Amino acid sequence: MEMQKEFEKRTGYQFQNKKLLAQALTHSSYANERHLGKQADNERLEFLGDAVLEIVTSEYLFHRYPEYPEGELTRLRASMVCEPTLAFCTSELELGKYLLLGKGEDQTGGRERKSILSDALEAVIGAIYLDGGFASAKEFVMKFVLNDIEHKQLFFDSKTILQEVVQGNSGQELSYRLISEEGPDHDKKFVVEAIIGNASYGKGTGRTKKGAEQEAAYHTLLQLRKQSSADCGGDPCI
């Protein structure tokens, strides 16, 4: 209960129906382990939250980018509501530490798993919608998902953007080097670093090599931005 109160403080939203919040934070592995039944986990709330998130995001993008055609709006919405970006959005809330997970899921890194985090975020949105209505859910989405949208686009498109930056500014080769690979096949953890020419830049971790490379590219872009604002010199910069 204390953890739920702490989570409410982080979100800035106080639930009238605390059971909705508890359900939103309950993963199916926890419900199954305790024989609570399918209605106790957050999957139904996730279904609802996904729909609320899509309409809020669609409305926001429609008004923010009046010059964008339908195809570009669809692409941008997809980038904002996809699993990696939603999981990235949960870091500010530290959502992972508040989840109720089964022992096995917890021990194999479930609190950091992007699929679990993104689903739980949608479940929280669904719970807020049921508890406080559309306006409350929209406020939450605006605060934690659609805030700093340019930054989140940078994260989503990091590998493509970094490739373009390196080609346009330095002409050097961009590659990714696997630093380490840990864990059993069902629970891999990859650590990758981005290499520009012969220089090491950002590092990233992920459950897949692709996910680790995306994070490495993102941290490299942030590094290059800082470098650029200080002094580009002869190095790659944005």
Side-chain angles (χ1 to χ4, degrees):
M1 193 62 115
E2 286 302 315
M3 292 290 280
Q4 288 182 20
K5 286 181 180 178
E6 186 181 315
F7 183 70
E8 284 182 308
K9 287 181 181 177
R10 280 187 172 275
T11 65
Y13 179 80
Q14 296 292 314
F15 277 82
Q16 300 301 311
N17 183 350
K18 304 298 183 184
K19 290 182 179 179
L20 280 171
L21 175 57
Q23 184 180 353
L25 299 175
T26 300
H27 187 254
S28 58
S29 62
Y30 182 93
N32 292 339
E33 212 171 73
R34 286 160 178 73
H35 308 289
L36 300 177
K38 289 300 294 178
Q39 302 299 319
D41 66 38
N42 63 10
E43 291 179 0
R44 282 170 53 84
L45 287 174
E46 174 205 335
F47 163 79
L48 181 59
D50 175 66
V52 175
L53 175 62
E54 185 155 319
I55 187 61
V56 172
T57 304
S58 298
E59 180 190 27
Y60 173 78
L61 296 176
F62 181 85
H63 290 297
R64 173 150 184 168
Y65 301 105
E67 74 283 5
Y68 279 16
E70 182 267 345
E72 183 62 21
L73 289 172
T74 299
R75 189 201 70 80
L76 185 52
R77 182 181 64 194
S79 76
M80 294 304 299
V81 301
C82 71
E83 180 182 295
T85 306
L86 290 180
F88 178 71
C89 292
T90 67
S91 59
E92 185 179 350
L93 289 166
E94 292 187 279
L95 179 56
K97 84 175 192 179
Y98 299 102
L99 297 179
L100 296 175
L101 300 176
K103 288 182 179 178
E105 195 67 64
D106 199 359
Q107 290 170 355
T108 56
R111 295 186 189 280
E112 298 174 4
R113 190 162 290 126
K114 289 180 172 63
S115 59
I116 290 177
L117 290 171
S118 62
D119 289 350
L121 183 63
E122 290 180 333
V124 169
I125 293 168
I128 292 175
Y129 171 76
L130 289 178
D131 189 72
F134 183 76
S136 296
K138 180 178 179 179
E139 184 179 345
F140 177 87
V141 171
M142 295 297 293
K143 185 176 180 180
F144 293 105
V145 180
L146 298 178
N147 64 321
D148 198 4
I149 189 170
E150 286 80 9
H151 198 80
K152 292 189 172 78
Q153 279 182 270
L154 184 69
F155 171 76
F156 177 77
D157 292 323
S158 55
K159 288 185 71 176
T160 302
I161 295 170
L162 181 59
Q163 185 68 50
E164 292 171 352
V165 167
V166 172
Q167 287 178 345
N169 290 297
S170 74
Q172 294 179 295
E173 183 182 352
L174 167 66
S175 60
Y176 296 93
R177 180 166 62 201
L178 180 64
I179 298 174
S180 67
E181 179 180 336
E182 304 169 0
D185 289 340
H186 69 278
D187 187 34
K188 286 287 187 184
K189 180 181 180 181
F190 298 93
V191 181
V192 169
E193 66 178 346
I195 308 291
I196 300 176
N198 296 317
S200 298
Y201 280 81
K203 293 182 181 179
T205 61
R207 300 287 170 184
T208 64
K209 287 181 184 177
K210 184 178 179 182
E213 288 174 359
Q214 180 186 9
E215 193 171 291
Y218 171 69
H219 288 300
T220 298
L221 285 167
L222 295 184
Q223 223 175 307
L224 294 178
R225 279 189 166 185
K226 286 182 182 178
Q227 184 177 307
S228 177
S229 62
D231 177 17
C232 287
D235 294 324
C237 59
I238 299 177

